[in-house]
Every structure is written in C-alpha cells, then in structure tokens.
Amino acid sequence: MTSATASAPLRQVGKPRRSITRWVPIILIAFFVLAAVFAPLLAPYDPNSQNLLGRMRPPGTMSRSFHYLLGSDELGRDLLTRLIYGARVSLFVAIASVILSGVVGVLLGMLAGYLRGWVELIVMRLVDVFLSIPAILLAIITVAVLGTGLVNVIVVLALTRWPRYARIAYGQTLSVANMPYVRLAAFMGASTPRVLLRHILPNIIGAVTVVATLEFGLMVLFEAGLSFLGLGVQPPTASWGAMLSSGRNYLATAWWIATFPGLCLFLLILAVNLIGDDLRDRFDPRSQ
Amino acid sequence: MMTETAQRDETPVLAIKDLRIQIGGLDVVDGVSLRADRGRILAVVGESGCGKSLTALSILRLLPKAARIAEGRIELEGTDLAHLPEKDLEDIRGNQASIIFQEPIASLNPLMRVGAQVEEALRLHRGLSHAEAQREALAMLVSVGIPDPQRRARQYPFELSGGMCQRVMIAAALICRPRLLIADEPTTALDVTIQAQILDLMKRLRDEVGTSIIIITHDMGVVAEMADDVAVMYGGRVVERGPVDTIFAAPAHPYTHLLLATVPRLDGHRKSALRTIEGIVPGVDQWPKGCRFRSRCPLATDVCARRPSLDPVDATGHAAACWHKDRLREIA
Ligand SMILES: Nc1ncnc2c1ncn2[C@@H]1O[C@H](COP(=O)(O)OP(=O)(O)OP(=O)(O)O)[C@@H](O)[C@H]1O
Ligand code: SF4
Ligand SMILES: [Mg+2]
C-alpha cells in the first residue's frame, strides 16, 4: 500500500503541463455541447426569424427588435443564435457519423484481421472498392437514393468513412493477433468476441482514437461540404458548415458571417484533437 | 519388440505414441513416442530445429497452420488429444494442461493488469466470480514467489521484470491446477540467476500443485538441474530416453554422448575445454535415410542406412536408437 501511494506522485513528475492541456479542450467541448443541448434556452432569438432591413449588420449593432451581438447574416438573422443552434447540427452529425463509421469499420477490420480467410477477402476488397470511389460521388449517389436530411447525412458519412477505420483496425489486428498472449487466450478457450473485445480492441483503440479525432474534424467539414452542395442539412436549418460556406460570399463586405462559424469549427476541431492525444496516452499505460 | 520395458505402475499422465508431424510433406517429427509420468519432470532436449517445439505444441494442438499431425496418438490421461474435436480441446487447454513459452513478456497482454490475466483461466474454465477468482489468483501469486502480490496484481506487465513476468505466466498456467505443464524453453530469455530461481520454482510447484512437467530445453545444465526423465531428440526423432541419472552416467547413443561432452564440467574430469558437436544440423529436407544422425556420427557404418529402432538398453526404461550402442567407448 505504501509503495502504491508513493508511486502515484512519481508519475506526474514527467508531465507538469498535462493538467492544462487536458482541461482546456474538455472545457471548450463542454461549452459547445452545453450550447448545443440548451440552445433554445441560451439563444436570444429564433434561428430562422429574418429581418430583411437588418441584413449583414456588424457585431454589436441593433436593428428593430434585434440586438446583434455577433452581427447578422445576409437575411438579417441573428448570427449568435444561429451559431448556438448550428452547434447542434455540427456536433450531432460529427459525433453520430464518427461513432457509426467507427463501430462498423473497427468491427469489420478486426474480424478481417483476426479471422482472415474469406472474411478478410470480402471486407478488404470492399474497403478497396469504397476507397476508390470519390467520397463526394458516393455521397451524391447515396443522397439520390436516400434523399436529403439529417439522418441521411449521417448514414452517407458513415458509409463513406468506415473503410478508414476498417483499414487501420485490420492492420493493427494483424500485428496484435500474432502476439503470443492473444493466441494463448484463444487457445485457452476464450471465445472470438472475448478475444476481440478484451485482448485485441484495447491494444488497437489508441490508433483508432487518433484516426477518429482526425475524422471528427473531417466530418464537420464534410457536413459543411454536403450542405454547401445542397445535399446535406437543408436550409433554413443552421449548421456551422452551411453558415461558413454561405458567409464565404460576403467575406469582403461582412467578414463576421463566415469568421465566427469558422472560429467555432477551428476551436472544436482543435479541442477534439487535443483530447485525442490525451486519450491515446491514457489508453496506453506504457506511455504513463 | 517390447519398447516399453520398465512399465511404471500407473498409467502416464501423457503418452505420445508414434507421433508424426508434417510440414509441406516432410516429416519434421517422425515417429516420436514420449511419456510423462505423474509428478515427474520430463526434459526434452536437443539442438535447434530437431522438432522439440513442434512436439510440445502438438500436445495441445497448437501447431502452426503449416504443420499437421499426420499420424499418432497423444493421450492425456487416456483421452486422445490428436483426434479430439476443437471444441473439446478448449476445455483442456489451460485447465487440464497448460503451456508456457520462452518470451514471458510477449505472452502477457500489455494492457491487462497481471492479476486479471492470472484469473483469466479460472473465469473461463471454472466460471468463478471476480471476487473468488481474485482471491485464488492472489494466493497463486504468493506461491510463485511474487512479493507484495496485492500491489503487483494491479500492475501492468511493463512494470514487471522478465523473471517476474515468467512467474506470472507460471501462475496463470497453474491456476486451474492442470495435470500437465508444458514449458518450452521457459528460462532461455532470462539471465542465469533468475533462470535458476524459475527452475527451482517449477520444481517446487510440481510438488505443491501435483502437476507433471515437460520441459523443453537445449541446455543439458537445465536437464541435470530439473529432470527426472529425459528424452533426447535429433532430426525429429527421439534417439534416446530414460531416467536422467542413467543417461548422464551411461549414455547409450553417440549423439547423447557428444551432447553431454559439450557441457563444461567443473571437476575437469573429462574434457576441460568446451566442445561442440562437429558438423551442422542438416536442413529438414536433407536428413539422411536410415539413422538421421549418420551425417555427423563418428561411429556410422553401412548398417546405419537402415533406421534403428528405439530399443531398450536395460530394465529402467532406458532406451536408445542406434546400431552401435556397444561401440560408444570408441568416441574419444
Ligand atoms: N511454422 C513453420 N513453418 C515451416 N517450418 C517450420 C515451422 N515451425 C517449425 N518449422 C520447422 O520444423 C523444424 C522443427 O522446428 P521446432 O520449432 O520444433 O524446433 P526446435 O527443436 O524447437 O528448435 P529451437 O531450439 O530452435 O526452438 C525446424 O526445422 C523448423 O524449421
Ligand atoms: S545408428 Fe549409426 S549413425 Fe546412427 S547414431 Fe548409431 S552409430 Fe551413429
Ligand atoms: Mg523451439
């Protein structure tokens, strides 16, 4: 007992700055998540109520009953309100599609790498096929089949992104599966799900998490791209991506329309990446 | 034709009969028969590539994909493992028979606490609750000589030394009190002092747990230290076997004789200089017909082109496969 408590402070000596890099991104993300969850309570106005007389007003101006803290957009809607509501769409789409594509991809990749044989053949051939089709083309085809909408955007993103996870999970599983401890566990009678979840998954989750954090940022941008093409979330629903792309047109005359959603995206992606780094360290006890 | 002269009273824990293992059509293990008796330690010894590991792995049907058992029986307390369905084997592995390997660190999951890994077999085979399994695992960690087991159980393998990891592996292998423990070069990766401790530990647990042990080694020193019985392998065959004292005192096979001569002797009684056996082990596809030791044997004659059978030398169970057992003293 005494030596256990003695070793605890020892661990922290090497990482003095850790508490800051750990908490700042968590606070940031908590901030965005809270904004998304409590949007109706926090937002000063209705996200869709227009004020054509107060179009593209700079931050801090007032027009009729509106007080535009962060300015207004090209239809005179309050930017702060739309940012708060936009957090909902951006976070939800990104989180849901990362989880969906991650679970599907990691599961298929692990099965392919562990079972080998025809499972490997089919899964990895599918991965190649999916990765060879341009993501946007695949998205357009899927939307044509499924139609637009929030859920469909998530399905589209998961469909286009699972091969990334499958590939990393497959490669990692191949190397881990040959470790004596995995073979021992299997030979001792651990079932395939138990071997995969208890022995292989913990050893590959670090690499998967790193991919997932990169993917998270990408998903936010993908959603923006799809919305920009009119294939994603349909107007007037606010999303940071859609706001960013429509604000692009007014960058010279009304910088705030694109800048604030861009800043939000930047902070969100940065925070997620910092958390990803931290998670990777924590998943792997060797790096402690 | 009586090859098993000295029948011990009990049926052996493990009896391998005429085991033949093929890789790519070649007999890499060719007609091996071994027996591990209750509460005894059998050492399987031989140079690299002679088929020791394949033989050991085949017992629990852990052979690599390329290899297959072409013939023979592997009887664990009467049950023929060579022909058992895979499902039934799961019941046996880690439960009635366990195996430990050369690399203790690679044999442990780096991301699982060592305590949980010792418990694993108990939970798989006995369906014990976490608390019960934990209690037994702690007791086992104590008996394999791990100090402060409460704390160690909560650590990860990278926090333990190689010798400590091997102790944990032994604890995990013995937690279900198996009848048979197979140890494939368990101390080769460890330094000499730790090596001696681990061997001592295995000997002690043999008595405490009541398990028979098959230890695979290329080190005659380990054989002398550990074994009750020894089987000497060359070219995928057992060339000599018997009680360790008999074989050390009076080897009947030229290969064993030369192998013993390579062991440095402290008393300087025979050769003081360290010897090696002349020539190299031929590749699997280049073994000569008949006696496979023929290409290196100083006593080889034409008759050796026929395969010698493993015939008894005396009534103690000592047997050797050589046409010229009587000419051994001719080797300098
Ligand atoms: N997976 C495999 N594929 C092909 N050949 C193999 C395989 N495993 C073993 N062999 C061959 O079978 C023969 C016996 O191998 P085995 O591992 O049993 O030897 P060993 O006596 O344990 O040697 P060592 O002391 O080096 O461990 C060797 O010649 C080896 O090349
Ligand atoms: S049978 Fe012949 S070749 Fe083989 S060990 Fe005996 S003497 Fe040597
Ligand atoms: Mg070996």
Side-chain angles (χ1 to χ4, degrees), chain B residues 253-255 291-294 297-301 304 308 321-324:
Chain B
H253 195 283
Y255 179 62
C291 177
R292 287 182 167 174
F293 189 49
R294 195 150 58 99
C297 179
L299 300 182
T301 60
C304 306
C322 172
W323 294 112
H324 299 301

Side-chain angles (χ1 to χ4, degrees), chain B residues 23 28 46-55 64 66 184-185 216 218 284:
Chain B
I23 292 181
V28 286
E47 281 166 295
S48 186
C50 70
K52 305 181 297 285
S53 292
L54 288 179
T55 305
D184 190 354
E185 314 225 11
I216 312 284
H218 56 253
V284 200

Side-chain angles (χ1 to χ4, degrees), chain B residues 194-213:
Chain B
I194 309 294
Q195 194 168 329
Q197 290 172 12
I198 296 287
L199 294 178
D200 273 350
L201 169 70
M202 289 176 62
K203 268 205 301 211
R204 183 165 58 76
L205 289 173
R206 182 258 316 253
D207 303 325
E208 278 176 24
V209 180
T211 185
S212 306
I213 295 176

Side-chain angles (χ1 to χ4, degrees), chain B residues 137-160:
Chain B
L138 280 181
M140 194 41 113
L141 287 176
V142 174
S143 39
V144 297
I146 289 185
D148 199 359
Q150 302 263 2
R151 182 172 67 91
R152 291 296 183 182
R154 303 194 60 255
Q155 290 186 319
Y156 291 95
F158 76 96
E159 297 174 84
L160 271 54

Side-chain angles (χ1 to χ4, degrees), chain A residues 1 3-4 11 179-181 183-190 194 198-199 202-203 283-286, chain B residues 62 90 93-94 99 101 103 106-112 116 120 124-125 148 151 156 158-159 169:
Chain A
M1 279 333 269
S3 38
R11 273 191 192 169
M179 295 298 290
Y181 64 85
R183 297 186 33 223
L184 266 175
F187 289 135
M188 297 261 181
R194 189 178 170 93
R198 201 167 161 84
H199 294 281
N203 282 288
F283 274 129
D284 188 347
R286 278 163 299 197
Chain B
L62 302 180
E90 289 176 358
R93 294 174 183 142
I99 188 163
F101 297 113
E103 326 85 5
S107 300
L108 290 167
N109 186 334
L111 298 184
M112 258 171 96
E120 180 101 335
L124 286 173
H125 295 294
D148 199 359
R151 182 172 67 91
Y156 291 95
F158 76 96
E159 297 174 84
M169 276 314 295

